């Protein structure tokens, strides 16, 4: 029960980080620069914590030659997921930008568990697990998609685009990469015997990738602004929440499996998103909580419980 609650809290951290980074983005006027700042803040904080607790940041050189290359690319997959969401929004709209990656996360996490990929725990894809996953998707629909459909009477205003299904597939793919990152970081934490050290490596790789994007794109024009604007004090905390999110996933995956962690964290993400919207946290627009959203959360809890209790 403790691990279930921990995974839920970790999931809540992500929409809080997103809201904070959205405010940061409005200041620096660049999504990539805001993400790079957030990743760098998280990297520095993790560096301090890992150094104080373990005395060393760099893994033993023998690990780099004895372990598979994919073990070190979790941060890169996280950046692809982040960038993918930025690219998806203008083509799919807000609802499908959320739904498609979630579908990818669920499909990939259950596949990873079924085949024990990336040295994850092996959990066969039983009828119960499939049913539980479908119930979770139904809960996501009630919590995220249905309110938008009721208000706008459409899922997206962009159905006329000929390439809409290519973008939907891309959204599913980015979600699958996010689940893959979770599995990789979980195994990295086991190899290093430290979820914090795994999170540091993931953030360090992600920070390098993001700064390469910033410096190699028009976003570099925003860099002078970083020294001429004032940030709210909490604008720097996004990286801390992100670090806790990645470290928590690295800790939980070896204990619960990729599929269960993904679904429970997803539940926390939906709860956190609704809390942020309802109270307008971190200067985000206020959107009062609706009954369909509460009903969706209840359905998600049923689906996750079905998988967790009967796996």
């Amino acid at each position: 029960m403790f691990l279930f609650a921990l995974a839920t809290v970790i999931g809540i951290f992500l929409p809080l980080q997103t809201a904070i980074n959205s405010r940061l983005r409005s200041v620096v006027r660049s999504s990539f620069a805001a993400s790079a700042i957030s990743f760098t803040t998280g990297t520095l904080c993790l560096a301090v914590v890992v150094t104080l607790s373990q005395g060393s940041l760099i893994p033993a050189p023998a690990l780099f030659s004895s372990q598979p290359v994919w073990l070190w690319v979790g941060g890169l997959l996280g950046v692809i997921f982040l960038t993918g969401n930025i690219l998806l929004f203008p083509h799919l709209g807000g609802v499908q930008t959320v739904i498609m990656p979630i579908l990818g996360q669920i499909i990939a996490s259950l596949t990873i568990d079924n085949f024990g990929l990336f040295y994850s725990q092996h959990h066969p894809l039983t009828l119960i697990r499939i049913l539980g996953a479908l119930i979770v998707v139904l809960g996501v629909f009630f919590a995220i998609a249905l309110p938008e459909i009721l208000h706008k009477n459409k899922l997206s205003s962009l159905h006329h685009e000929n390439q809409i299904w290519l973008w939907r597939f891309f959204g599913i793919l980015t979600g699958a990469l996010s689940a893959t990152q979770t599995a990789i970081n979980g195994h990295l934490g086991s190899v290093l015997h430290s979820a914090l050290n795994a999170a540091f490596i993931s953030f360090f790789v992600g920070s390098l990738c993001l700064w390469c994007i910033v410096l190699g794109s028009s976003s570099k024009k925003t860099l002078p602004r970083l020294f001429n604007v004032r940030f709210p004090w909490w604008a720097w905390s996004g990286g801390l929440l992100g670090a806790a999110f990645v470290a928590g996933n690295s800790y939980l995956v070896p204990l619960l499996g990729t599929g269960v962690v993904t679904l429970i964290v997803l539940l926390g993400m939906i709860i956190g998103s609704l809390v942020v919207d309802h109270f307008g946290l971190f200067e985000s627009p206020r959107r009062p909580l609706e009954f369909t959203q509460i009903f969706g959360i209840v359905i998600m809890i049923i689906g996750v419980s079905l998988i967790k209790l009967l796996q």
Side-chain angles (χ1 to χ4, degrees):
M1 194 63 178
F2 168 74
L3 296 179
F4 186 103
L6 178 61
T8 304
V9 171
I10 289 170
I12 292 174
F13 285 167
L14 193 60
L16 296 178
Q17 181 197 26
T18 300
I20 291 170
N21 286 351
S22 295
R23 179 67 179 89
L24 187 61
R25 182 175 62 242
S26 69
V27 175
V28 300
R29 300 177 185 174
S30 168
S31 298
F32 291 116
S35 297
I37 293 170
S38 180
F39 262 71
T40 303
T41 303
T43 301
L44 293 175
C45 292
L46 285 168
V48 172
V49 173
V50 172
T51 301
L52 292 177
S53 61
Q54 301 178 28
S56 175
L57 285 175
I58 308 301
L63 282 177
F64 292 99
S65 58
S66 63
Q67 295 297 325
V69 175
W70 54 257
L71 189 64
W72 314 103
V73 300
L76 173 61
L77 298 183
V79 171
I80 295 174
F81 174 70
L82 175 71
T83 306
N85 282 341
I86 295 173
L87 296 174
L88 285 171
F89 187 82
H91 295 279
L92 295 182
V95 174
Q96 293 191 66
T97 297
V98 174
I99 295 296
M100 295 304 156
I102 285 176
L103 290 177
Q105 286 177 311
I106 293 175
I107 293 170
S109 63
L110 294 180
T111 302
I112 289 170
D113 276 1
N114 184 61
F115 294 102
L117 303 178
F118 307 110
Y119 299 101
S120 296
Q121 289 187 26
H122 177 235
H123 295 292
L125 190 58
T126 62
L127 182 61
I128 291 295
R129 289 174 68 83
I130 295 174
L131 179 60
L134 291 175
I135 292 175
V136 171
V137 173
L138 181 63
V140 172
F141 174 81
F142 273 97
I144 300 296
L146 186 57
E148 294 289 336
I149 294 173
L150 293 176
H151 290 171
K152 298 182 179 180
N153 197 31
K154 55 186 176 180
L155 192 61
S156 171
S157 61
L158 302 167
H159 281 296
H160 63 276
E161 291 190 7
N162 294 328
Q163 297 181 336
I164 189 72
W165 279 104
L166 290 177
W167 285 108
R168 287 171 177 162
F169 175 77
F170 179 65
I172 293 173
L173 177 62
T174 60
L177 292 179
S178 175
T180 302
Q181 179 196 21
T182 299
I184 288 175
N185 286 346
H187 183 58
L188 179 60
S190 297
V191 169
L192 299 177
H193 306 291
S194 170
L196 287 173
N197 208 340
F200 165 74
I201 291 175
S202 182
F203 259 68
F204 180 76
V205 172
S207 296
L208 289 180
C209 293
L210 280 167
W211 281 115
C212 286
I213 293 173
V214 170
L215 295 174
S217 67
S218 59
S219 299
K220 63 186 177 183
K221 298 178 181 178
T222 67
L223 293 181
R225 286 183 51 80
L226 300 181
F227 304 97
N228 297 310
V229 296
R230 298 184 62 180
F231 301 98
W233 66 268
W234 44 260
W236 301 99
S237 62
L240 299 178
L241 294 173
F245 177 83
V246 174
N249 275 281
S250 301
Y251 170 73
L252 290 169
V253 164
L255 300 175
L256 298 178
T258 303
V260 171
V261 171
T262 298
L263 293 175
I264 299 176
V265 167
L266 176 59
L267 171 63
M269 288 168 56
I270 300 298
I271 293 174
S273 297
L274 297 182
V275 170
V276 169
D277 284 352
H278 183 73
F279 294 102
L281 300 180
F282 306 112
E283 301 180 10
S284 61
R286 292 193 62 178
R287 301 183 183 90
L289 193 63
E290 300 182 19
F291 171 76
T292 55
Q293 295 173 317
I294 299 175
F295 184 60
I297 290 175
V298 173
I299 293 177
M300 290 183 67
I301 292 174
I302 293 173
V304 171
S305 299
L306 190 65
I307 294 175
K308 180 66 179 74
L309 298 176
L310 299 179
Q311 69 175 1

